[in-house]
Amino acid sequence: MMERCFIKEGCRGDGAAWVGRSSQEVELRQDLLCELRNVSRFYRVSRGFFSATTHLVRALQEVNLQVKRGEVLGLVGESGCGKSTLARVMLGLEPPSLGKVFFRGSDLASLDSAGMKQFRRQVQMVFQDPGSSLNPRKTVFQTLKEPLEIHSLCTGSDIRKRVQELLGLVGLELSAVGDRYPHEFSGGQRQRICIARALATNPELIIADEPTSALDVSVQAQIISILMELHRRKGISYLFISHDLPLVQFMCSRIAVMYLGYIVEILPRHLFGLGRSAKMDEIHPYTGYLMEAVPVPDPDFYVDRDGSGVTPGKEREIQDLDSSEPAFRQMDDGCVYAARCREASDLCFLKRPPLQEVSPGHFMACYRRGTSEESYF
């Protein structure tokens, strides 16, 4: 049993104020496409079907995130950290409990029905499971013509031409697939159809929520090739959500790292190194933990625990973290990652570090690595 929980705008926590006055703020505002400002999303959940007792689940907490025009922004984190909730809030499928979502400078909460229709035309989504996101009772042609009719983008014979063009963009032919139903296709073909549907309205932003996780490796490569080619040809922005860190490093120019509903780091691609290019002493400890968990095809590879670099000839070790309470408890005070962090100090348990710019384009919420401890006093 879950119901929406809305909290008044004034009930913000101490860490809600994000220090965004950086060296790149002016340039960022000019290129900004979509922005989340201090966004939180809460749910009131009952402890049992017949129980009257409820508790608050904080799916998103004080999230500040920007997607620029023409960029591919990656979003990574463990399962259950809030990535899909963030995607739904950014799409306008769920309202934020706190904070605001802006698209082209307009607050989504202030848009009327006509404005929301225009917004939905400009922002589309590619879902993780292509089978469940397609209507089993509609043919491919019916699926692709529906958004064209809803937004009055084509009429009459132009609809068929547009559908044929969309299928051509993803490597399919209308004559071969137009009259067939979703169950007649492979997973890769269904995902191509979903991408074609997302492209039907000529969107500026596509949110891809783990679009390749249900596909085999060869089909994944085809889908990623299609997405990147469309990005180059049409300048489409992506919010790319994935657990595949090497793929995120390949596709994205910036990467945001989430932990228990918080953005703990936003970093450029050159710092998001894997294998021998890892720079553990320059990134958030949680980001480093995620990188360490990626299998590396090198038996001599070892990441030094003190952050001094790579020592060849030693067996690689992966940190074994406690997944029980209180390690995963959402703390009211202190850094959200402090209970699991091997570098945590007393200060980390007292005050939540703000997300601050530690180098051009690199934002981190960490007293030990980025945020100055003087900001606490």
Side-chain angles (χ1 to χ4, degrees):
M1 300 282 293
M2 183 178 294
E3 60 186 51
R4 296 173 182 172
C5 177
F6 296 93
I7 296 181
K8 293 182 180 179
E9 187 71 32
C11 301
R12 233 173 248 167
D14 292 337
W18 171 64
V19 181
R21 296 181 180 179
S22 67
S23 59
Q24 296 179 327
E25 183 178 14
V26 175
E27 180 182 354
L28 178 63
R29 293 293 173 186
Q30 293 174 347
D31 296 335
L32 208 57
L33 182 63
C34 188
E35 180 181 14
L36 277 66
R37 295 184 191 171
N38 295 318
V39 167
S40 298
R41 185 71 174 94
F42 306 135
Y43 298 95
R44 182 71 65 179
V45 182
S46 63
R47 297 188 179 276
F49 187 79
F50 296 103
S51 175
T53 305
T54 62
H55 68 282
L56 195 66
V57 174
R58 302 179 178 95
L60 296 178
Q61 299 195 74
E62 301 163 5
V63 172
N64 290 278
L65 191 65
Q66 301 82 26
V67 181
K68 296 186 287 187
R69 298 179 188 274
E71 84 161 338
V72 181
L73 174 65
L75 183 62
V76 301
E78 298 174 1
S79 296
C81 70
K83 301 187 299 297
S84 295
T85 300
L86 186 149
R88 291 195 298 270
V89 170
M90 186 175 286
L91 276 168
L93 298 179
E94 293 190 17
S97 303
L98 281 176
K100 296 181 179 181
V101 181
F102 293 86
F103 184 77
R104 290 178 174 175
S106 299
D107 182 4
L108 295 190
S110 66
L111 298 179
D112 56 15
S113 58
M116 282 302 298
K117 184 177 180 180
Q118 181 65 21
F119 165 75
R120 298 196 186 284
R121 174 182 170 181
Q122 298 298 331
V123 182
Q124 292 290 312
M125 186 164 185
V126 177
F127 295 91
Q128 178 178 354
D129 183 3
S132 62
S133 62
L134 293 172
N135 190 330
R137 296 188 176 185
K138 290 187 177 182
T139 65
V140 172
F141 178 76
Q142 292 171 333
T143 296
L144 296 184
K145 80 170 185 176
E146 185 175 23
L148 301 176
E149 294 176 337
I150 290 175
H151 295 283
S152 304
L153 299 177
C154 296
T155 57
S157 60
D158 292 336
I159 291 180
R160 192 168 189 85
K161 293 179 181 178
R162 177 57 177 162
V163 170
Q164 185 172 359
E165 178 185 348
L166 291 170
L167 289 172
L169 289 174
V170 295
L172 297 174
E173 292 289 339
L174 178 60
S175 58
V177 303
D179 296 327
R180 295 165 63 186
Y181 292 87
H183 71 274
E184 301 179 63
F185 298 97
S186 67
Q189 289 174 318
R190 285 196 290 262
Q191 195 63 290
R192 290 177 184 228
I193 294 168
C194 291
I195 294 173
R197 180 179 59 183
L199 294 171
T201 60
N202 291 318
E204 294 187 62
L205 173 63
I206 291 180
I207 299 175
D209 189 2
E210 301 185 45
T212 62
S213 62
L215 308 176
D216 61 61
V217 176
S218 61
V219 178
Q220 284 184 22
Q222 296 172 8
I223 297 301
I224 294 304
S225 177
I226 290 171
L227 291 174
M228 295 306 294
E229 179 63 23
L230 292 170
H231 171 68
R232 286 189 291 266
R233 291 172 54 184
K234 295 181 174 290
I236 299 173
S237 299
Y238 291 113
L239 175 64
F240 189 80
I241 303 172
S242 180
H243 291 287
D244 190 337
L245 300 191
L247 178 58
V248 170
Q249 183 189 26
F250 169 75
M251 284 194 62
C252 305
S253 56
R254 291 193 304 144
I255 298 96
V257 183
M258 285 197 74
Y259 182 72
L260 290 184
Y262 286 91
I263 298 289
V264 297
E265 187 169 24
I266 302 173
L267 67 165
R269 175 167 51 189
H270 72 272
L271 291 177
F272 197 76
L274 300 173
R276 295 190 181 276
S277 63
K279 301 178 181 178
M280 296 298 180
D281 58 336
E282 299 182 28
I283 60 177
H284 194 281
Y286 176 62
T287 306
Y289 163 64
L290 291 179
M291 292 180 179
E292 289 177 3
V294 177
V296 177
D298 184 351
D300 296 329
F301 178 74
Y302 170 75
V303 178
D304 240 348
R305 287 295 169 259
D306 62 2
S308 60
V310 175
T311 303
K314 295 184 180 181
E315 182 182 356
R316 182 171 184 260
E317 299 177 1
I318 296 178
Q319 181 187 6
D320 185 16
L321 294 182
D322 181 15
S323 60
S324 61
E325 298 287 350
F328 281 90
R329 178 172 57 87
Q330 291 182 318
M331 301 169 58
D332 294 329
D333 299 313
C335 174
V336 68
Y337 188 60
R340 299 176 71 186
C341 182
R342 54 180 174 242
E343 302 179 25
S345 64
D346 292 340
L347 176 60
C348 299
F349 291 90
L350 295 176
K351 183 74 173 180
R352 183 164 295 129
L355 188 67
Q356 291 186 335
E357 187 174 37
V358 297
S359 63
H362 183 197
F363 297 83
M364 190 190 308
C366 180
Y367 289 125
R368 306 294 290 176
R369 299 278 182 88
T371 303
S372 172
E373 296 188 10
E374 295 178 359
S375 63
Y376 172 67
F377 299 101

